[in-house]
Each structure stands twice: as C-alpha cells, then as structure tokens.
Amino acid sequence: MKKLRVQTTGLFHQVGTEFRLFWRSPQTIYLAFLVPMLGMALFVYLSREGLLESVFGALFRGLGQDEAILGSLSPMALMTLGLIVYCMIDVAFESAVPNLVRERSTGIHKRLGGTPLQGWVFLAGKTLGASLIVVIEVALILAVGLISADISVAGSWWLLGLILLLGTCTTASLGIVLSNVMVSADGAVVAVHAIYIPMLLLCGAFVPVEALPKALQVVAHAIPLTYFVGPFRSVMVQGAALGAIAGDLSILLIWTIGAWIVAVKTFRWQ
C-alpha cells in the first residue's frame, strides 16, 4: 500500500511538472495554441465568405470524387477536426519525441532513474500531462467554432472526451516508442516530421478517407489516428452513440495498449 501511495504521488507530481514545463516554452505555446487559434479564425472567415466550400469543391474534383461524398459533413467540420488532430500530434508527438531524447542525452533521465520513481510512472506522467494540454486546446477550438456558430456538437461531450483521451494516449505512446530508439534530438526531429505529416494528411482529418485514391485508403487504414478521426467525427457531427463506434474504438484501444507495452518495455533511463 505504501509503495502504491508513493507511485501515485510520483505520478501526480510528474503530471504537474510536465504541465508547468509546457508553459515555460514560448515556442511550444505558439505552436500548440496560437497556430490552431489563428487557423480556426481563418477557417471561420473563409467559411462565411463561401471560399472554404469552393476550395473543397476544387479539391474533390482534383481527386476525381463527387462532393456528395461529404454527406452531412461540412468543410468547416473537417477543418475543425483537422486542427484537433494537429494539436494532438503537436503536443503528444512532435514536441514530445525530441524533448524525451534531449532529456535522456543530457542525463536528466539518468538522475531520475536514481530516485524511487518507476519508469512506467514517469511515462504515464508525461502522457497524462500531454492529455491535459490537448484537452485545453480542443476546448478552445470547439469554443471558437460554437461561438461563431460555424460548427455544432451533436453527440455526447463525455464520449468526445473519452475518444480524445484515448487518441492522445495512443499518439503519446507511439511518440515514446520512437524516442526510445532515437539517438539524437536532431535525428528525432527529422523522424517525427517524416511520420506525422503523412499521418496527419491521410488519417481522414482534413479529407475523408473515402475520398482518397484506393491505394492511399489502404495506407490510411494502417494509421492508428484513422480510428480516432472516424469515431470523433461520428459523435461530433452525427451524434453517434458508443455502440455505433465500438469497432473503431476497439482498434484504437488495441493500438494504445500495444504501443504502451512496447514503450514501457523499451524505455531506458540512459
């Protein structure tokens, strides 16, 4: 019982530490908050001017698809979802991987390894810290959309929160796995961009997977975030219940558990 209490205290302390460190980096705040807010404001303006629909029409014609494939989706809903996925990737993957490699190479992890803090508690603290920041970002994005009346949330907010937490944990776990095999922070930056840009473009956030060419659809279904985007979009736009998205959520949960196990098993303090 005492050991569990120590680890729980360590977990909360690590979450608090990660949260405070985030706000000490102006560059991170700019990328994580200012960029999505500016993007959301721009998309609201383009939507009201009718330009967003024109852009999507040209895009779909370029892909050889009919705009009817959007169904009940609006271009504004897609852009909002795209910004949400960007926030997840930026906080839990793009920023986290180089930081983890840098902390290990500078000896910070080695010093922490000499404390009672266990590796899985350290990683869980980082994951939950990233999740907390992502929740704040997504709340701000949705608030802008709701206030401007350009988007609406048809389904359960609690279910959206659950899907968001699961997606962020998956992304963070994959980031930890990548950081465990990287040697230098510079190499980690290159690897992160090589992975997250295709992942962001093909997961269905900005363009529905159904609108992609057949070959790219195969690739999209191998991307874990595809199984975040589908359920999140269904709940937000169509008001889907848990039973309707259980299949995709099960796949996402398998990705989360598998990535977390690999992350913990491959993590080393030095």
Short mmCIF file of all heavy atoms in Angstrom, two decimals, residues 217-243:
data_model
loop_
_atom_site.label_atom_id
_atom_site.label_comp_id
_atom_site.label_asym_id
_atom_site.label_seq_id
_atom_site.Cartn_x
_atom_site.Cartn_y
_atom_site.Cartn_z
N GLN A 217 -6.13 4.73 -49.41
CA GLN A 217 -7.07 4.25 -48.41
C GLN A 217 -6.51 3.06 -47.65
O GLN A 217 -6.74 2.93 -46.44
CB GLN A 217 -8.40 3.87 -49.09
CG GLN A 217 -9.21 5.04 -49.59
CD GLN A 217 -10.57 4.63 -50.11
OE1 GLN A 217 -11.17 3.67 -49.61
NE2 GLN A 217 -11.09 5.34 -51.11
N VAL A 218 -5.79 2.21 -48.35
CA VAL A 218 -5.15 1.07 -47.69
C VAL A 218 -4.14 1.56 -46.65
O VAL A 218 -4.09 1.06 -45.52
CB VAL A 218 -4.46 0.16 -48.72
CG1 VAL A 218 -3.68 -0.95 -48.02
CG2 VAL A 218 -5.50 -0.44 -49.68
N VAL A 219 -3.36 2.56 -47.04
CA VAL A 219 -2.37 3.13 -46.11
C VAL A 219 -3.09 3.79 -44.93
O VAL A 219 -2.68 3.63 -43.77
CB VAL A 219 -1.48 4.16 -46.84
CG1 VAL A 219 -0.51 4.81 -45.86
CG2 VAL A 219 -0.72 3.50 -47.97
N ALA A 220 -4.18 4.50 -45.22
CA ALA A 220 -4.91 5.21 -44.17
C ALA A 220 -5.43 4.26 -43.10
O ALA A 220 -5.42 4.58 -41.91
CB ALA A 220 -6.06 6.00 -44.79
N HIS A 221 -5.88 3.08 -43.52
CA HIS A 221 -6.43 2.12 -42.55
C HIS A 221 -5.34 1.44 -41.72
O HIS A 221 -5.66 0.70 -40.78
CB HIS A 221 -7.28 1.08 -43.26
CG HIS A 221 -8.62 1.60 -43.69
ND1 HIS A 221 -8.91 1.95 -44.99
CD2 HIS A 221 -9.75 1.88 -42.98
CE1 HIS A 221 -10.15 2.39 -45.06
NE2 HIS A 221 -10.69 2.36 -43.86
N ALA A 222 -4.08 1.69 -42.05
CA ALA A 222 -2.97 1.19 -41.24
C ALA A 222 -2.48 2.25 -40.25
O ALA A 222 -1.56 1.99 -39.47
CB ALA A 222 -1.82 0.74 -42.13
N ILE A 223 -3.09 3.43 -40.29
CA ILE A 223 -2.70 4.53 -39.41
C ILE A 223 -3.62 4.56 -38.19
O ILE A 223 -4.85 4.60 -38.34
CB ILE A 223 -2.78 5.88 -40.16
CG1 ILE A 223 -1.78 5.90 -41.31
CG2 ILE A 223 -2.53 7.04 -39.21
CD1 ILE A 223 -1.89 7.13 -42.19
N PRO A 224 -3.08 4.52 -36.99
CA PRO A 224 -3.94 4.46 -35.80
C PRO A 224 -4.89 5.64 -35.65
O PRO A 224 -6.02 5.48 -35.17
CB PRO A 224 -2.94 4.39 -34.64
CG PRO A 224 -1.63 4.85 -35.21
CD PRO A 224 -1.65 4.47 -36.64
N LEU A 225 -4.46 6.84 -36.06
CA LEU A 225 -5.32 8.01 -35.89
C LEU A 225 -6.56 7.97 -36.77
O LEU A 225 -7.52 8.70 -36.52
CB LEU A 225 -4.53 9.30 -36.16
CG LEU A 225 -3.59 9.75 -35.04
CD1 LEU A 225 -2.94 11.07 -35.38
CD2 LEU A 225 -4.33 9.85 -33.71
N THR A 226 -6.55 7.12 -37.80
CA THR A 226 -7.76 6.94 -38.61
C THR A 226 -8.91 6.44 -37.74
O THR A 226 -10.07 6.81 -37.94
CB THR A 226 -7.49 5.93 -39.75
OG1 THR A 226 -6.43 6.43 -40.56
CG2 THR A 226 -8.72 5.73 -40.61
N TYR A 227 -8.57 5.64 -36.73
CA TYR A 227 -9.59 5.07 -35.85
C TYR A 227 -9.92 6.01 -34.69
O TYR A 227 -10.77 5.69 -33.86
CB TYR A 227 -9.12 3.71 -35.34
CG TYR A 227 -8.81 2.79 -36.49
CD1 TYR A 227 -7.50 2.60 -36.93
CD2 TYR A 227 -9.83 2.15 -37.19
CE1 TYR A 227 -7.21 1.79 -38.02
CE2 TYR A 227 -9.56 1.34 -38.28
CZ TYR A 227 -8.25 1.16 -38.69
OH TYR A 227 -7.98 0.37 -39.78
N PHE A 228 -9.25 7.14 -34.64
CA PHE A 228 -9.67 8.24 -33.76
C PHE A 228 -10.59 9.19 -34.51
O PHE A 228 -11.63 9.60 -34.00
CB PHE A 228 -8.44 9.01 -33.25
CG PHE A 228 -8.78 10.38 -32.72
CD1 PHE A 228 -9.31 10.53 -31.45
CD2 PHE A 228 -8.60 11.51 -33.50
CE1 PHE A 228 -9.65 11.79 -30.96
CE2 PHE A 228 -8.94 12.77 -33.03
CZ PHE A 228 -9.46 12.91 -31.75
N VAL A 229 -10.20 9.54 -35.73
CA VAL A 229 -10.95 10.52 -36.52
C VAL A 229 -12.38 10.05 -36.79
O VAL A 229 -13.34 10.81 -36.62
CB VAL A 229 -10.22 10.82 -37.84
CG1 VAL A 229 -11.10 11.67 -38.76
CG2 VAL A 229 -8.90 11.53 -37.58
N GLY A 230 -12.53 8.78 -37.20
CA GLY A 230 -13.86 8.27 -37.53
C GLY A 230 -14.84 8.37 -36.37
O GLY A 230 -15.91 8.97 -36.51
N PRO A 231 -14.52 7.81 -35.20
CA PRO A 231 -15.43 7.92 -34.06
C PRO A 231 -15.67 9.35 -33.60
O PRO A 231 -16.80 9.72 -33.28
CB PRO A 231 -14.73 7.10 -32.97
CG PRO A 231 -13.87 6.14 -33.72
CD PRO A 231 -13.40 6.88 -34.92
N PHE A 232 -14.61 10.16 -33.55
CA PHE A 232 -14.76 11.54 -33.07
C PHE A 232 -15.69 12.30 -34.00
O PHE A 232 -16.58 13.04 -33.55
CB PHE A 232 -13.39 12.22 -33.00
CG PHE A 232 -13.37 13.47 -32.18
CD1 PHE A 232 -13.01 13.43 -30.85
CD2 PHE A 232 -13.71 14.70 -32.74
CE1 PHE A 232 -13.00 14.59 -30.07
CE2 PHE A 232 -13.71 15.86 -31.99
CZ PHE A 232 -13.35 15.81 -30.64
N ARG A 233 -15.50 12.14 -35.30
CA ARG A 233 -16.34 12.82 -36.29
C ARG A 233 -17.79 12.34 -36.20
O ARG A 233 -18.73 13.13 -36.28
CB ARG A 233 -15.78 12.58 -37.69
CG ARG A 233 -16.51 13.34 -38.79
CD ARG A 233 -15.77 13.18 -40.09
NE ARG A 233 -15.71 11.78 -40.50
CZ ARG A 233 -14.83 11.30 -41.37
NH1 ARG A 233 -13.90 12.08 -41.90
NH2 ARG A 233 -14.86 10.02 -41.71
N SER A 234 -17.98 11.04 -36.01
CA SER A 234 -19.33 10.48 -35.93
C SER A 234 -20.09 11.04 -34.73
O SER A 234 -21.28 11.37 -34.82
CB SER A 234 -19.27 8.95 -35.85
OG SER A 234 -18.73 8.41 -37.03
N VAL A 235 -19.41 11.15 -33.59
CA VAL A 235 -20.06 11.67 -32.39
C VAL A 235 -20.32 13.17 -32.54
O VAL A 235 -21.41 13.66 -32.22
CB VAL A 235 -19.19 11.40 -31.15
CG1 VAL A 235 -19.80 12.07 -29.91
CG2 VAL A 235 -19.06 9.90 -30.91
N MET A 236 -19.33 13.91 -33.03
CA MET A 236 -19.46 15.36 -33.12
C MET A 236 -20.50 15.78 -34.16
O MET A 236 -21.32 16.67 -33.90
CB MET A 236 -18.11 15.98 -33.48
CG MET A 236 -18.13 17.52 -33.48
SD MET A 236 -16.51 18.26 -33.83
CE MET A 236 -16.48 18.14 -35.63
N VAL A 237 -20.50 15.15 -35.32
CA VAL A 237 -21.36 15.58 -36.43
C VAL A 237 -22.70 14.85 -36.44
O VAL A 237 -23.75 15.45 -36.66
CB VAL A 237 -20.63 15.38 -37.78
CG1 VAL A 237 -21.53 15.77 -38.94
CG2 VAL A 237 -19.35 16.20 -37.81
N GLN A 238 -22.66 13.54 -36.21
CA GLN A 238 -23.87 12.73 -36.35
C GLN A 238 -24.52 12.37 -35.02
O GLN A 238 -25.62 11.79 -35.01
CB GLN A 238 -23.54 11.45 -37.12
CG GLN A 238 -22.96 11.71 -38.50
CD GLN A 238 -22.37 10.47 -39.13
OE1 GLN A 238 -22.35 9.40 -38.52
NE2 GLN A 238 -21.86 10.60 -40.36
N GLY A 239 -23.86 12.65 -33.91
CA GLY A 239 -24.43 12.33 -32.60
C GLY A 239 -24.42 10.83 -32.31
O GLY A 239 -25.28 10.33 -31.58
N ALA A 240 -23.43 10.11 -32.87
CA ALA A 240 -23.37 8.66 -32.71
C ALA A 240 -23.18 8.27 -31.25
O ALA A 240 -22.52 8.97 -30.48
CB ALA A 240 -22.23 8.09 -33.55
N ALA A 241 -23.76 7.14 -30.87
CA ALA A 241 -23.60 6.59 -29.52
C ALA A 241 -22.40 5.65 -29.49
O ALA A 241 -21.82 5.32 -30.53
CB ALA A 241 -24.87 5.86 -29.09
N LEU A 242 -22.05 5.20 -28.30
CA LEU A 242 -20.87 4.35 -28.13
C LEU A 242 -20.96 3.07 -28.95
O LEU A 242 -19.97 2.63 -29.55
CB LEU A 242 -20.69 4.02 -26.65
CG LEU A 242 -19.49 3.13 -26.28
CD1 LEU A 242 -18.18 3.79 -26.71
CD2 LEU A 242 -19.48 2.84 -24.79
N GLY A 243 -22.13 2.46 -28.99
CA GLY A 243 -22.28 1.21 -29.72
C GLY A 243 -21.97 1.33 -31.20
O GLY A 243 -21.45 0.40 -31.81
#
